[in-house]
């Protein structure tokens, strides 16, 4: 396989993974929005009822929200990595002035 063919193949793989990762990020964003509401409701119930059970539910909801936010950050970082790799591959595939083809 020629170097150009390898670059084209990897570019397709990166584009496919980028699409899947962006979709995962969209889903995580929806989950975060829902979990924020859950955490807010749990915090309100804990403040009003002041029971150990309500406080535990508040802590669990807050932990779930933090976990989703970490997952969001990791997924967003992966999207950035894939975009950077895609740019590098495109530069190798489409040479600019004074550059030879890979």
């Amino acid at each position: 396989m020629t170097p150009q063919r390898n670059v084209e193949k990897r570019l397709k793989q990166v584009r496919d993974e980028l699409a899947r990762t962006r979709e995962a990020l969209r889903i995580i964003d929806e989950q975060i929005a829902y979990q924020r509401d859950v955490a807010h409701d749990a915090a309100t119930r804990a403040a009003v009822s002041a029971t150990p059970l309500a406080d535990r539910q508040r802590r669990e909801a807050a932990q779930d929200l933090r976990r989703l936010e970490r997952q969001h950050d990791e997924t967003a970082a992966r999207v950035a990595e894939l975009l950077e790799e895609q740019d590098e591959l495109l530069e190798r595939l489409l040479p600019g002035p004074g550059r030879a083809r890979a």
Side-chain angles (χ1 to χ4, degrees), residues 3-49:
Q4 181 177 345
R5 185 78 178 126
N6 286 337
V7 171
E8 290 170 353
K9 181 180 176 184
R10 181 61 190 147
L11 185 58
K12 181 178 178 345
Q13 291 170 342
V14 168
R15 284 181 179 158
D16 291 346
E17 184 179 351
L18 186 56
R20 287 189 307 271
T21 307
R22 281 179 168 158
E23 177 62 12
L25 190 59
R26 184 191 65 75
I27 291 167
I28 293 167
D29 284 340
E30 291 176 6
Q31 291 173 332
I32 286 173
Y34 173 79
Q35 191 60 36
R36 277 194 181 120
D37 289 341
V38 169
H40 181 271
D41 291 347
T44 301
R45 281 192 306 276
V48 170
S49 68

Side-chain angles (χ1 to χ4, degrees), residues 50-64:
T51 64
L53 175 61
D55 189 54
R56 187 179 84 220
Q57 290 171 337
R58 178 199 55 79
R59 283 192 316 273
E60 289 173 356
Q63 289 170 349
D64 289 344

Side-chain angles (χ1 to χ4, degrees), residues 69-85:
E69 289 171 340
R70 281 192 305 272
Q71 187 178 4
H72 176 276
D73 293 346
E74 291 167 4
T75 305
R78 182 63 184 147
V79 166
E81 290 169 3
L82 289 167
L83 286 170
E84 185 175 324
E85 183 177 358

